C-alpha cells in the first residue's frame, strides 16, 4: 500500500488546491467575479446572483464525482501498471473537467457584463510606464546566487558517481531543475512591467517588490529541490530496511513545502499591492476581459508580454498571443501527451512482457527484457545458488510493483543487484558476478529449477 499512499499524498494536495482555487472565483474579490472585471454595484443584479448559485451547485457535483472516481485507484493494488495509468488519466480528467463549470460561469458573466455595459476602466488598452520599465529589475536576486544550487547539483552528480553510476539521473535532475528555475526567473525579468497606478513611484515600487520576491522564491525552490534529490540519493544508497520508512516523510514534506512557500510569497505580494494601492488612491484600471479566453488563458496579440499574472489562482500564465507563447504552450501540450502516452505504453508492456533467460552457444547468459536486457559471460559467474528469498532493498533504476521487480536495485548486504523476478514466487536463481548479483526466476517454479540445472551444467561443461 506504500505506493498507493505515496501517489495519493500529492493527489490530495492537488485536489485541495484546485477545489479551493475554483471555489474562490465565485466570490467577488479584487474587482473580479469568475475572472471578469465588474463594478461593485453589479453584485446586486439578480441574474448575476443566479449565475453564482448555479456555479456553486455544478462545481460541487464535479468535485464530488471526481473524488468518488478516484476510489478505483485503491482497488487496483495488485495491478500497479494499470493503477499508475488510471492515476494519470484521473489527474488529467480532473484538471480538465473541473474547469467546465467555471467556463460556463465566465461566459455567462461576460455576456451579462456586455448587456449591462459594466465596463471598468479603459477597454483594450495596454498601459505602459517608462520609468517602471527601466527600473523594474533593480532589486531582483542576482543571477550569481544560482551558482550555489548549481554547485550542489554538480557535487551531487560527482558524489553519486563515486557510489553508484546508475543513479546519475538524480544529479542531472538536480542540475536540470535548477536551470529550469533560472530560465523562469529570466522570463520574469524580461516580462513587461505592470502599471498599477498613475503614480510612477508606486509602479516602480510594486514592480521591484514583486520581481525581488519571485526571484528569491525560485532561488530557494532550487535549493529545496537540490536537497530533495540529495535525500532521495541517500535513501537509495542506504541498504538498511528502516531507511525505506523515510520515503513517506520525504514525499509529504517535499510535496507540501514548495506549495506553502509559493503560496506565502504570492500572498505577500498581493498584500503589499493591496495596501499600497489603497493608500495611493490613483489605481489604473484596464478592461481587457476580451483577451482572457475562458477566463484562465490569455491571448492578446497586441500585448508583447510573454507572461502575465493569472486571474485564476496564483502565479503567471503564458500570453498565447505572442509567437514565443504559442511555441511554449504547444510544446507543453506535446510534451504532456508524449509523457503520458510513453509512460502508459511502457507500463502496459512491462505488465504483459516477462524476462527470458537463455544460454547462448558462445557460453553467455542472456536475459532479454525491454530496457533492462543483460548479457554476461559464463566465466564471470563466481557463485550460483537456488534460494528461497531475496534481501530487502531499494530500486535504483528499474521497475518495482507488487508482483515483480526488474532492473537495477541495491539490496541489503549485497549491494548492486539486477533483479528479474516475480515477487513472492520462490525459488530464485542467484548469480554472483564480480561486481554485482543477479536474481532471476520464472513465474513457474519448475521452470526456474530447470533453468538453474541448465546453468549448473553449462558452468561444469565450460570448465
Amino acid at each position: 500500500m506504500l505506493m498507493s499512499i505515496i501517489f495519493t499524498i500529492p493527489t490530495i494536495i492537488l485536489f485541495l488546491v484546485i477545489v479551493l482555487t475554483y471555489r474562490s472565483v465565485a466570490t467577488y474579490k479584487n474587482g473580479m467575479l469568475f475572472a471578469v472585471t465588474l463594478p461593485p454595484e453589479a453584485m446586486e443584479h439578480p441574474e448575476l446572483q443566479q449565475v453564482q448559485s448555479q456555479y456553486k451547485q455544478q462545481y460541487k457535483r464535479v468535485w464530488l464525482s471526481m473524488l468518488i472516481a478516484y476510489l478505483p485507484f485503491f482497488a487496483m493494488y495488485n495491478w500497479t501498471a494499470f493503477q499508475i495509468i488510471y492515476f494519470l488519466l484521473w489527474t488529467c480528467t480532473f484538471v480538465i473537467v473541473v474547469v467546465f463549470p467555471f467556463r460556463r460561469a465566465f461566459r455567462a458573466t461576460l455576456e451579462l457584463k456586455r448587456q449591462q455595459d459594466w465596463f471598468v476602466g479603459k477597454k483594450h488598452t495596454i498601459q505602459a510606464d517608462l520609468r517602471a520599465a527601466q527600473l523594474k529589475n533593480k532589486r531582483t536576486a542576482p543571477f550569481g546566487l544560482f551558482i550555489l544550487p548549481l554547485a550542489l547539483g554538480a557535487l551531487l552528480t560527482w558524489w553519486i558517481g563515486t557510489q553508484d553510476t546508475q543513479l546519475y539521473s538524480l544529479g542531472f535532475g538536480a542540475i536540470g531543475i535548477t536551470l529550469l528555475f533560472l530560465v523562469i526567473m529570466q522570463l520574469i525579468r524580461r516580462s513587461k512591467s505592470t502599471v498599477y497606478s498613475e503614480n510612477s513611484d508606486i509602479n516602480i515600487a510594486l514592480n521591484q517588490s514583486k520581481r525581488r520576491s519571485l526571484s528569491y522564491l525560485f532561488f530557494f525552490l532550487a535549493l529545496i529541490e537540490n536537497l530533495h534529490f540529495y535525500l532521495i540519493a541517500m535513501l537509495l544508497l542506504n541498504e538498511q530496511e528502516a531507511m525505506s520508512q523515510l520515503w513517506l516523510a520525504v514525499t509529504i514534506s517535499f510535496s507540501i513545502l514548495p506549495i506553502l512557500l509559493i503560496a506565502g510569497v504570492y500572498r505577500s505580494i498581493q498584500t503589499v499591492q493591496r495596501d499600497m494601492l489603497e493608500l495611493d488612491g490613483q489605481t489604473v484600471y484596464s478592461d481587457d476581459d476580451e483577451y482572457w479566453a475562458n477566463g484562465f488563458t490569455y491571448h492578446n496579440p497586441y500585448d508583447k508580454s510573454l507572461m502575465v499574472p493569472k486571474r485564476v489562482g496564483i502565479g503567471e500564465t503564458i500570453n498565447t498571443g505572442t509567437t514565443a507563447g504559442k511555441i511554449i504552450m504547444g510544446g507543453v501540450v506535446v510534451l504532456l501527451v508524449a509523457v503520458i502516452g510513453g509512460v502508459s505504453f511502457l507500463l502496459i508492456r512491462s505488465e504483459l512482457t516477462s524476462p527470458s533467460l537463455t544460454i547462448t552457444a558462445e557460453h553467455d547468459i542472456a536475459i532479454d527484457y525491454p530496457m533492462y536486457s543483460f548479457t554476461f559471460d559464463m566465466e564471470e559467474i563466481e557463485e550460483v545458488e537456488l534460494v528461497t528469498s531475496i534481501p530487502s532493498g531499494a530500486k535504483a533504476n528499474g521497475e518495482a510493483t507488487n508482483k515483480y521487480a526488474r532492473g537495477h536495485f541495491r539490496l541489503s548486504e549485497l549491494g548492486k543487484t539486477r533483479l528479474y523476478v516475480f515477487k513472492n514466487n520462490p525459488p530464485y536463481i542467484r548469480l554472483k558476478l564480480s561486481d554485482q548479483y543477479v536474481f532471476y526466476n520464472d513465474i513457474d517454479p519448475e521452470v526456474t529449477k530447470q533453468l538453474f540445472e541448465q546453468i549448473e551444467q553449462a558452468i561444469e561443461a565450460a570448465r
Side-chain angles (χ1 to χ4, degrees), residues 380-423:
E380 296 181 47
I381 301 175
E382 297 180 0
E383 294 179 8
V384 56
E385 293 183 83
L386 196 64
V387 298
T388 57
S389 63
I390 300 175
S392 61
K395 178 178 66 176
N397 179 17
E399 304 167 351
T401 72
N402 300 319
K403 295 192 293 184
Y404 57 78
R406 297 157 186 171
H408 304 275
F409 291 75
R410 292 186 66 86
L411 302 186
S412 177
E413 301 177 0
L414 299 183
K416 292 174 61 176
T417 306
R418 287 178 181 259
L419 296 181
Y420 302 90
V421 299
F422 291 92
K423 292 182 177 179

Side-chain angles (χ1 to χ4, degrees), residues 327-375:
I327 294 172
I328 293 173
M329 188 61 69
V332 169
V333 172
V334 171
L335 180 62
L336 284 175
V337 172
V339 169
I340 294 174
V343 169
S344 299
F345 170 76
L346 292 175
L347 288 170
I348 293 174
R349 184 178 65 175
S350 297
E351 193 73 26
L352 302 178
T353 305
S354 300
S356 63
L357 184 150
T358 56
I359 301 173
T360 69
E362 293 78 20
H363 301 289
D364 291 335
I365 291 183
I367 301 177
D368 185 35
Y369 184 71
M371 295 181 65
Y372 301 108
S373 293
F374 184 45
T375 301

